[in-house]
Amino acid sequence: MVTVLVTSFLLFAAISYAIYWWQRSSSNENPERVLPPARAVGLFGEMSRADEAALLAAEREAERSARRESLLERAVAGDKKVLDEAQASGDTELYDEALDALTERADSDESLLALVSYVARSEALRVNARLAAKFIESWKRSPDRGATAKMLHVAALCGEAGLYRQAIETAFQLWSDGRVPSLSAGELRQLVESEYWILPAVSRSSGAGFVLKRTLARLRRELAASTNGQA
């Protein structure tokens, strides 16, 4: 009896051992992998890319704001080179802010002339309305022959037909008042007509440009009459 029990136990153990090794071998040949659903992985990846893009955009905006603040601080301090940097950036609003800050800082005719000269001698930089208007006011204090030519040139570089019309009317008025004695009627006429062509074509063909043309025609007649009267 004991022999039968021992034999049965050993047979059961052998069978159990064989089954164990068979299952282990099958598991190694076909391992089961527990993976997240493919859709979940895809969603997670998309969220990561979106977060990264948002972070990079925020960093670029922070850098841009820091550069802008630094540039404007330098403009307030009188550094004219900021105009070249602002122009190179392609940000027209930033350029105008920097030029306005420099214009505001120019508290004398000499410093304003230096700013105008810096801008005018560069093909890349442009005169804006605020700088041109302030230069016209400065010119009124000393409207000699050379300054008048410079003023009309700067007004034309601004590119605004309305402002150029203001400039030529003011020049004609001060000339009529005898405040620019070294400038003849013929020379003034030549100046206002030649500088007119510096204006952009779009400005010359605008509504303000039409009014400017009428003003030029009137001044041309009056200056021609003055020339004939002097002859």
Side-chain angles (χ1 to χ4, degrees):
M1 183 67 179
V2 174
T3 301
V4 174
L5 290 174
V6 171
T7 302
S8 299
F9 176 78
L10 291 175
L11 181 60
F12 177 78
I15 292 172
S16 299
Y17 186 76
I19 292 173
Y20 167 76
W21 279 105
W22 177 81
Q23 289 179 336
R24 182 173 181 180
S25 175
S26 177
S27 176
N28 289 335
E29 291 175 0
N30 300 289
E32 294 182 2
R33 299 178 181 178
V34 180
L35 298 174
R39 182 174 177 79
V41 173
L43 288 174
F44 181 77
E46 290 174 6
M47 290 177 61
S48 296
R49 288 193 295 272
D51 290 343
E52 182 179 359
L55 179 61
L56 290 175
E59 290 177 350
R60 285 194 294 268
E61 181 59 27
E63 291 175 358
R64 179 177 177 276
S65 297
R67 287 196 301 269
R68 185 187 194 91
E69 182 178 353
S70 174
L71 188 146
L72 292 177
E73 287 178 353
R74 289 165 53 200
V76 171
D79 185 356
K80 300 182 187 67
K81 292 182 180 179
V82 300
L83 295 176
D84 301 279
E85 297 176 30
Q87 180 67 19
S89 73
D91 189 335
T92 57
E93 182 180 350
L94 177 59
Y95 178 88
D96 282 332
E97 288 185 37
L99 184 53
D100 287 348
L102 286 164
T103 301
E104 182 67 23
R105 189 180 187 278
D107 54 1
S108 67
D109 294 339
E110 291 75 15
S111 59
L112 183 61
L113 177 59
L115 175 59
V116 165
S117 298
Y118 184 87
V119 175
R121 67 170 174 259
S122 171
E123 295 183 358
L125 302 182
R126 58 181 175 81
V127 174
N128 67 6
R130 188 167 182 178
L131 177 60
K134 188 169 183 177
F135 191 66
I136 292 172
E137 293 301 313
S138 172
W139 162 81
K140 289 179 182 179
R141 292 188 282 271
S142 182
D144 59 26
R145 186 174 185 274
T148 301
K150 183 79 170 179
M151 182 274 293
L152 291 172
H153 183 63
V154 170
L157 287 176
C158 175
E160 295 188 9
L163 193 143
Y164 186 68
R165 179 175 60 83
Q166 174 190 342
I168 64 175
E169 287 184 329
T170 304
F172 178 74
Q173 183 60 54
L174 267 62
W175 177 85
S176 299
D177 294 342
R179 296 185 58 188
V180 197
S182 59
L183 189 65
S184 69
E187 289 173 330
L188 180 56
R189 175 182 171 179
Q190 183 180 4
L191 278 174
V192 298
E193 290 184 346
S194 62
E195 295 296 344
Y196 165 79
W197 295 104
I198 292 179
L199 293 170
V202 65
S203 182
R204 297 197 305 269
S205 61
S206 65
F210 176 75
V211 177
L212 171 60
K213 290 175 184 176
R214 295 181 62 179
T215 302
L216 280 170
R218 174 175 59 82
L219 294 183
R220 188 182 299 115
R221 290 193 300 270
E222 295 183 17
L223 288 170
S226 296
T227 302
N228 293 334
Q230 293 172 356

